[in-house]
Amino acid sequence: MLNRNQMVNRMGLVLGVCECLHTNKLSLSVLVYHYFLLEMHWTECLESGGPKQSLHAAAVVGNTIYTFGDTWNKWGRSPKSNIEVYCFDTDSMEWFEVEYDETTECPKNCRRLSVVAYGHLIFLWGGIDDFLQANPLYCFDTTTLTWSKPAVSGKVPYPRSCHSACVIGHHMYIFGGYHNFSISLLNTVYRLDLITFEWEELFTSGIPPEERRFHSACVVDNQIVIFGGMGIDRAGYHYTVLDDFSYLDTISLRWVTPKFNGRPPCGRFNHTAVACNDGIYIIGGHRSFSKKRINEMNDVWKFSLDTFAWAQITPKGRQPCPRSEHCCVAVGDRLFVFGGKSTRRSLLRNYDQCIVHPDLHVLDLSPSLKVLCAIKINDCKTDIGRLPNDLKKVVKAVDDSLCYGWNSMVIVQCSEKKQKKKNRKSSQYRTITHVLERSESSDDTTDCQPATFFISHH
């Protein structure tokens, strides 16, 4: 809660901006309502410019989102043999296509996989191509843009897809999924030590969740929270949509089904769940197997970690269209939703004829006063000539993201292969396609986020 002085100061800022804009009392009241009563807002939307992906996986390193998996074009799935890697800079709001040296240690193009970030490294495990599931471990170094295949030991899990993976400490945990050799769903838990690369199967107590795939998993402290997914009935003949909610305490290795308040979200699969700040956020997904209606959703649910209560929330702003098989990750106080599929109403009986989205949406859980003012200014189409310069930049950025999107695609132009390899070896450079040229550098630049790029427009 804001104290009296903070509220007076912020109200003063709002009144000052409104005075500059000559807004009327109605506009002022709407702006004040947006700032003081609204918890979250869909603040930005990039309609195009990103890769068309579904059943992909994403991880965050610093302020950069890396996404791996199947990419679609107008003819169908990408014909590339090795996996495609894209990244999104959450500061400049730009998509890149990562170009790396293709060696025998690169993973093949696949979907329904899992990736986790551990420092500046991203580990990829599982997934399936057209027919074959995999269980080797791959490591992508975001500082050198190179792949490696660490040698593992211990009890390696069976090949699988549609599973979940998350990191707690220096361990990666694998839960559930689908094993197509035995045609069965799984609810086993495996753990990989990311230092020694030794696998082990965990034997847990309590009542474990049912076997499932296409569920969601997120981390809260030392607990892995599982929600929803696709299960199978007791007879083993029909798939079911699950709506249960449980977590695994990784210290006691005990499954717990918590008691909660409020109405929970309906059962779903191919949705996303992200733990951020004081809650777990569920977005979208597939709700049934019916072929007579659109089954994708775009609703947003929050599970409060303070009150253990479910609540459906309706953020203001332009929300994503209903979808499933998308990704959602948290960077700071913002949730980034991108990719996924939606079914055309005229093609309900042909699931392969779906729309694969290249867009990206940002849900700001605690939008700043500048952003809310900028959104209101754009809604009113007000002249910004009398605004301060820093607010003009915010208004321009919000206007670009809401109305046009950063849909320009650029490609790296490399005249010599030797020069490209030289850039990769340096700790200050990396060669990436689909990036905008930048000359400025940040004071807090890390090895994971070099500030200089050699790029040209396409």
Side-chain angles (χ1 to χ4, degrees):
M1 294 295 294
L2 299 174
N3 59 39
R4 185 177 182 277
N5 292 333
Q6 289 174 324
M7 292 191 68
V8 170
N9 291 337
R10 295 192 179 188
M11 283 294 293
L13 289 174
V14 175
L15 290 172
V17 172
C18 291
E19 184 178 355
C20 291
L21 299 175
H22 301 287
T23 54
N24 54 31
K25 293 182 179 179
L26 178 61
S27 298
L28 173 61
S29 63
V30 172
L31 184 58
V32 173
Y33 169 78
H34 271 248
Y35 184 65
F36 287 102
L37 300 182
L38 187 64
E39 292 185 355
M40 55 194 70
H41 201 292
W42 291 105
T43 56
E44 293 167 291
C45 169
L46 279 66
E47 294 182 350
S48 59
K52 290 186 176 182
Q53 289 183 305
S54 67
L55 294 173
H56 50 305
V60 178
V61 176
N63 291 327
T64 304
I65 302 170
Y66 291 84
T67 175
F68 305 78
D70 252 358
T71 305
W72 293 68
N73 53 38
K74 60 182 179 180
W75 297 285
R77 284 195 170 95
S78 172
K80 293 185 178 180
S81 60
N82 288 332
I83 197 164
E84 296 183 66
V85 184
Y86 291 83
C87 62
F88 183 79
D89 190 325
T90 60
D91 293 329
S92 63
M93 299 294 290
E94 298 164 352
W95 276 108
F96 318 146
E97 181 180 357
V98 179
E99 188 181 69
Y100 58 87
D101 287 328
E102 298 186 7
T103 65
T104 56
E105 295 190 338
C106 299
K108 298 300 180 183
N109 205 358
C110 62
R111 56 192 180 275
R112 304 176 184 177
L113 67 159
S114 64
V115 296
V116 297
Y118 181 68
H120 66 278
L121 303 176
I122 297 178
F123 292 94
L124 182 152
W125 190 85
I128 185 173
D129 54 15
D130 291 335
F131 304 102
L132 185 64
Q133 289 180 328
N135 66 346
L137 179 70
Y138 296 93
C139 177
F140 181 72
D141 192 322
T142 60
T143 60
T144 61
L145 301 182
T146 56
W147 285 98
S148 60
K149 193 174 179 181
V152 299
S153 60
K155 188 173 183 180
V156 181
Y158 290 117
R160 68 188 66 191
S161 59
C162 317
H163 55 287
S164 62
C166 52
V167 168
I168 298 178
H170 59 88
H171 289 98
M172 178 177 72
Y173 292 83
I174 300 292
F175 171 78
Y178 177 73
H179 184 219
N180 65 354
F181 293 116
S182 60
I183 317 179
S184 62
L185 302 182
L186 306 168
N187 67 345
T188 51
V189 183
Y190 285 84
R191 180 169 65 186
L192 172 67
D193 191 316
L194 296 177
I195 299 177
T196 64
F197 297 111
E198 181 179 0
W199 282 102
E200 62 176 324
E201 182 178 2
L202 300 182
F203 297 96
T204 60
S205 59
I207 302 176
E210 298 178 29
E211 296 84 355
R212 67 191 62 206
R213 61 175 177 170
F214 294 130
H215 55 282
S216 64
C218 57
V219 174
V220 178
D221 296 329
N222 292 311
Q223 301 163 350
I224 302 174
V225 182
I226 304 296
F227 174 78
M230 180 191 297
I232 198 166
D233 61 11
R234 293 183 178 180
Y237 295 109
H238 301 286
Y239 286 116
T240 59
V241 180
L242 303 174
D243 61 354
D244 56 337
F245 178 67
S246 58
Y247 67 85
L248 173 66
D249 189 322
T250 57
I251 297 178
S252 62
L253 295 182
R254 179 178 177 83
W255 285 103
V256 178
T257 302
K259 295 182 179 180
F260 53 82
N261 303 313
R263 180 173 64 91
C266 65
R268 62 191 67 200
F269 61 95
N270 276 328
H271 57 283
T272 56
V274 179
C276 187
N277 295 343
D278 62 341
I280 298 174
Y281 295 87
I282 307 290
I283 300 178
H286 219 82
R287 61 186 171 186
S288 74
F289 304 102
S290 172
K291 293 185 178 181
K292 297 182 180 180
R293 63 175 182 176
I294 299 295
N295 294 311
E296 290 89 0
M297 299 175 289
N298 62 347
D299 52 349
V300 181
W301 291 78
K302 178 183 178 181
F303 179 78
S304 174
L305 299 175
D306 297 328
T307 61
F308 270 54
W310 281 106
Q312 184 174 3
I313 55 180
T314 307
K316 297 294 182 179
R318 180 181 176 182
Q319 64 181 3
C321 67
R323 67 189 62 198
S324 63
E325 302 179 8
H326 55 285
C327 276
C328 178
V329 296
V331 180
D333 292 333
R334 296 184 295 172
L335 304 184
F336 293 80
V337 180
F338 52 95
K341 278 184 181 180
S342 296
T343 307
R344 296 180 187 268
R345 186 172 296 277
S346 60
L347 299 169
L348 285 175
R349 295 186 178 276
N350 191 345
Y351 184 70
D352 292 331
Q353 299 293 329
C354 295
I355 304 171
V356 183
H357 299 285
D359 58 355
L360 179 142
H361 298 258
V362 180
L363 178 59
D364 199 329
L365 303 182
S366 56
S368 65
L369 177 59
K370 279 187 177 181
V371 171
L372 291 177
C373 286
I375 293 173
K376 185 59 183 176
I377 291 168
N378 281 310
D379 290 342
C380 297
K381 298 181 179 180
T382 309
D383 181 22
I384 63 174
R386 300 181 61 184
L387 289 179
N389 291 330
D390 57 344
L391 188 54
K392 286 181 182 179
K393 294 180 181 179
V394 178
V395 174
K396 180 64 168 59
V398 171
D399 180 60
D400 287 344
S401 64
L402 290 175
C403 300
Y404 308 105
W406 284 273
N407 53 12
S408 59
M409 301 293 287
V410 295
I411 298 178
V412 172
Q413 301 292 338
C414 296
S415 58
E416 294 182 5
K417 191 172 182 181
K418 292 182 180 180
Q419 178 66 25
K420 182 164 59 175
K421 288 187 176 181
K422 180 180 178 181
N423 292 341
R424 284 181 178 168
K425 292 180 181 180
S426 172
S427 61
Q428 298 179 352
Y429 302 96
R430 59 180 177 179
T431 304
I432 298 180
T433 59
H434 296 231
V435 207
L436 295 179
E437 183 176 6
R438 286 193 257 176
S439 58
E440 67 272 16
S441 61
S442 175
D443 294 334
D444 57 350
T445 302
T446 64
D447 291 339
C448 302
Q449 298 167 304
T452 308
F453 300 78
F454 290 104
I455 311 298
S456 63
H457 264 284
H458 173 64

